[in-house]
């Protein structure tokens, strides 16, 4: 791309991600640019193949933290992706999906208070996932029926 007759001074160049093939992403969609009189400036937007994380929130009836066909999915559980604090809710099949991610290390987090009443986490509160360019990771987040509170 080229721009002509740009006034000298500080500018910001933005990449319109809506026109970018969804398989690609960039770590920096905005770049500062200083235009100098009678000079040519060059800017590069690094593109990387986007990665994704697909996961499942389920009721872990046998306590092994691994999904079995006879175990039930858990719907409407918010799963947070860090860094960035983006989140998705698990669908009717217990599935959540984060797409078009930069290839870095992420942490998935479910807060125990966000589980439906009567359930508690059966897996760690956080799960760490490292993605490479174009990588796809799978993550299981187990819940179990909460133990009844015993009165003394």
């Amino acid at each position: 791309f080229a721009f002509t007759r740009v006034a000298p001074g500080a500018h910001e160049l933005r990449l319109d991600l809506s026109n970018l093939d969804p398989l690609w992403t960039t770590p920096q969609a905005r770049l500062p640019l200083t235009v100098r009189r009678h000079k040519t400036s060059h800017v590069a937007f690094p593109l990387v193949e986007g990665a994704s994380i697909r996961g499942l929130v389920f009721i872990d009836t046998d306590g092994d933290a691994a999904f079995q066909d006879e175990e039930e999915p858990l719907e409407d559980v918010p799963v947070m992706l860090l860094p960035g604090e983006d989140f998705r809710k698990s669908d009717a099949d217990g599935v959540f999906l984060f797409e078009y991610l930069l290839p870095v290390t992420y942490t998935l987090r479910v807060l125990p208070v966000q589980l439906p009443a009567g359930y508690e986490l059966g897996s760690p509160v956080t799960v760490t996932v490292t993605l490479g360019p174009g990588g796809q990771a799978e993550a299981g987040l187990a819940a179990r029926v909460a133990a009844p509170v015993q009165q003394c």
Side-chain angles (χ1 to χ4, degrees):
F1 55 88
F3 300 99
T4 59
R5 300 179 189 221
V6 177
H11 298 274
E12 181 179 74
L13 200 56
R14 284 181 265 162
L15 181 63
D16 182 358
L17 296 175
S18 67
N19 291 320
L20 189 63
D21 183 319
L23 293 177
W24 297 93
T25 190
T26 183
Q28 209 170 6
R30 296 175 178 214
L31 294 172
L33 174 67
T34 301
V35 176
R36 294 190 172 80
R37 193 173 191 76
H38 304 296
K39 298 288 181 189
T40 300
S41 298
H42 298 275
V43 175
F45 285 99
L47 297 178
V48 293
E49 192 173 358
S52 64
I53 301 171
R54 181 183 185 280
L56 178 67
V57 182
F58 63 97
I59 302 167
D60 187 21
T61 55
D62 61 6
D64 68 352
F67 180 73
Q68 313 297 322
D69 287 338
E70 63 275 1
E71 293 174 321
E72 295 292 320
L74 202 51
E75 184 177 7
D76 287 330
V77 175
V79 178
M80 185 178 289
L81 181 70
L82 302 166
E85 297 186 12
D86 191 8
F87 81 93
R88 302 284 186 276
K89 281 191 173 185
S90 56
D91 65 16
D93 296 321
V95 174
F96 62 89
L97 179 64
F98 293 96
E99 295 180 289
Y100 317 118
L101 300 172
L102 292 172
V104 297
T105 297
Y106 293 95
T107 299
L108 298 170
R109 177 178 216 168
V110 173
L111 298 176
V113 297
Q114 295 172 325
L115 290 171
Y119 293 97
E120 62 187 13
L121 281 174
S123 58
V125 173
T126 61
V127 174
T128 302
V129 176
T130 300
L131 298 171
Q136 297 177 342
E138 301 254 338
L141 299 169
R144 62 180 173 234
V145 175
V149 178
Q150 302 234 344
Q151 301 274 333
C152 293

